[in-house]
């Protein structure tokens, strides 16, 4: 089983209503890991936390030199890792995550990794995040994900109710034989579970990839297949031009160069400002953290 060997911010006890806000976590590395599966995460929420808000953080430049080839316990570098939340609202909004650039290793890069165990009585809210996965794998078969809900087993993953809107999920990674996804549910399972991921749970996002495959739901899916199988993202955008100030470490949008996302989000009353505390348009907000 892959284990965590490096973490930027860890909440490992049952603190109620944890707030992780306005941090920059950069250039974390696992450098001497050998042929095993290890995990590096910028932010890790776990151990039956009751309610958590992860907002306005910038995470970039992570690397994992492990050479493991296991498909069920791969080497991972993830931005935000969500695990074992017990109750209360899990709220993740206005974060910028950029991973994989100049990393040729056989690493599974994951922007937001949702591995919350099944629970009832609360909803995971994933709003207005900007994620960019990049780089070229020199070899190997490990996949990468902008957003991933699952645990790399062949068993369909289930969890609390998901509400995911207005995010930029870009995965431009290429190389190797692994598939590089913008979004995925129960990767590796023959039948992805809709438990916790209801129809229209995900919408008004940008889903960009370097190939034809956009997501994983009971198998690899192009945009039309993803919409049909997940029963969502009908108002989401695909293969649209996004211009970041610096895709490696600064996912602010270049001014007047991102017409596709301007005014294309759906209003969310809980998020009235962006990562810089600039006000969002009340009727026609922009997609993404900026």
């Amino acid at each position: 089983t892959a284990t965590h060997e490096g973490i930027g911010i860890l909440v490992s006890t049952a603190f109620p209503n944890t707030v992780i806000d306005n941090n920059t976590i950069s250039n974390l590395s696992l450098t001497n890991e050998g042929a095993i599966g290890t995990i590096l995460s910028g932010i890790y929420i776990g151990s039956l936390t009751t309610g958590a808000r992860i907002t306005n953080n910038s995470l970039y430049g992570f690397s994992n030199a492990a050479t493991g080839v296991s498909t069920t316990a791969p080497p991972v570098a993830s931005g935000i890792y969500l695990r074992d939340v017990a109750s209360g609202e899990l709220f993740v909004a206005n974060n910028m995550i950029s991973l994989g650039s100049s990393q040729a290793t056989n690493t599974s890069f994951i922007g937001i990794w949702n591995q919350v165990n099944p629970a009832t009585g609360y909803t995971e809210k994933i709003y207005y995040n900007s994620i960019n996965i990049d780089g070229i794998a020199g070899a190997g078969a490990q996949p990468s994900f902008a957003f991933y809900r699952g645990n790399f087993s062949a068993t369909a993953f289930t969890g609390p109710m998901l509400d995911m809107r207005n995010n930029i999920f870009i995965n431009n990674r290429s190389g190797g034989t692994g598939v590089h996804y913008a979004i995925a549910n129960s990767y590796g399972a023959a039948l992805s579970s809709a438990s916790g991921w209801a129809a229209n749970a995900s919408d008004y996002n940008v889903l960009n990839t370097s190939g034809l495959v956009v997501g994983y739901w009971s198998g690899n899916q192009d945009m039309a297949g993803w919409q049909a199988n997940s029963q969502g993202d009908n108002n989401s955008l695909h293969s649209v031009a996004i211009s970041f100030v610096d895709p490696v470490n600064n996912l602010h949008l270049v001014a007047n160069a991102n017409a596709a996302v301007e005014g294309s989000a759906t209003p969310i009353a809980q998020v009235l400002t962006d990562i810089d505390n600039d006000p969002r348009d009340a009727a026609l907000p922009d997609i993404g953290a900026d």
Side-chain angles (χ1 to χ4, degrees), residues 175-202:
T177 58
V179 182
H180 306 291
Y181 303 93
I183 190 169
N185 179 29
S186 302
Y187 170 79
L191 185 64
S192 298
S193 174
S195 177
W197 193 320
N200 300 315
S202 177

Side-chain angles (χ1 to χ4, degrees), residues 6 28 68-69 83 89 91 109 118 127 132 134 140 151-152 155 160 174 176 178 193-194 212 215 271 282 284:
L28 301 180
V69 297
R83 171 84 178 181
E89 183 177 274
F91 191 88
F109 289 97
Y127 300 147
N132 186 65
D134 219 328
N151 56 11
F152 288 103
T155 302
S174 60
S193 174
L212 294 177
V271 188
L284 296 170

Side-chain angles (χ1 to χ4, degrees), residues 30 194 199:
L30 295 181

Side-chain angles (χ1 to χ4, degrees), residues 95-252:
N95 299 286
M96 292 181 177
I97 304 171
S98 184
L99 304 175
S101 179
S102 301
Q103 300 296 321
T105 55
N106 184 31
T107 302
S108 186
F109 289 97
I110 307 174
I112 295 177
W113 188 2
N114 180 343
Q115 201 182 146
V116 180
N117 284 329
T120 59
Y122 77 101
T123 299
E124 297 173 88
K125 298 182 176 181
I126 314 293
Y127 300 147
Y128 289 113
N129 300 283
S130 291
I131 298 176
N132 186 65
I133 309 297
D134 219 328
I136 302 173
Q142 302 299 1
S144 63
F145 313 84
F147 176 85
Y148 177 41
R149 178 184 186 251
N151 56 11
F152 288 103
S153 78
T155 302
F157 189 83
T158 62
M161 295 302 296
L162 177 68
D163 184 18
M164 186 160 63
R165 304 180 191 282
N166 302 345
N167 303 280
I168 295 176
F169 292 153
I170 297 177
N171 192 342
N172 285 324
R173 193 164 177 80
S174 60
T177 58
V179 182
H180 306 291
Y181 303 93
I183 190 169
N185 179 29
S186 302
Y187 170 79
L191 185 64
S192 298
S193 174
S195 177
W197 193 320
N200 300 315
S202 177
D203 207 356
Y204 293 93
N205 304 296
V206 170
L207 304 177
N208 282 3
T209 60
S210 59
L212 294 177
V213 175
V214 170
Y216 186 97
W217 191 294
S218 306
N220 294 339
Q221 307 292 343
D222 62 11
M223 187 63 179
W226 171 260
Q227 291 170 324
N229 282 272
S230 71
Q231 299 183 56
D233 283 300
N234 292 311
N235 296 291
S236 293
L237 305 174
H238 170 55
S239 294
V240 296
I242 302 293
S243 182
F244 294 123
V245 170
D246 188 337
V248 176
N249 57 28
N250 186 348
L251 301 189
H252 285 85

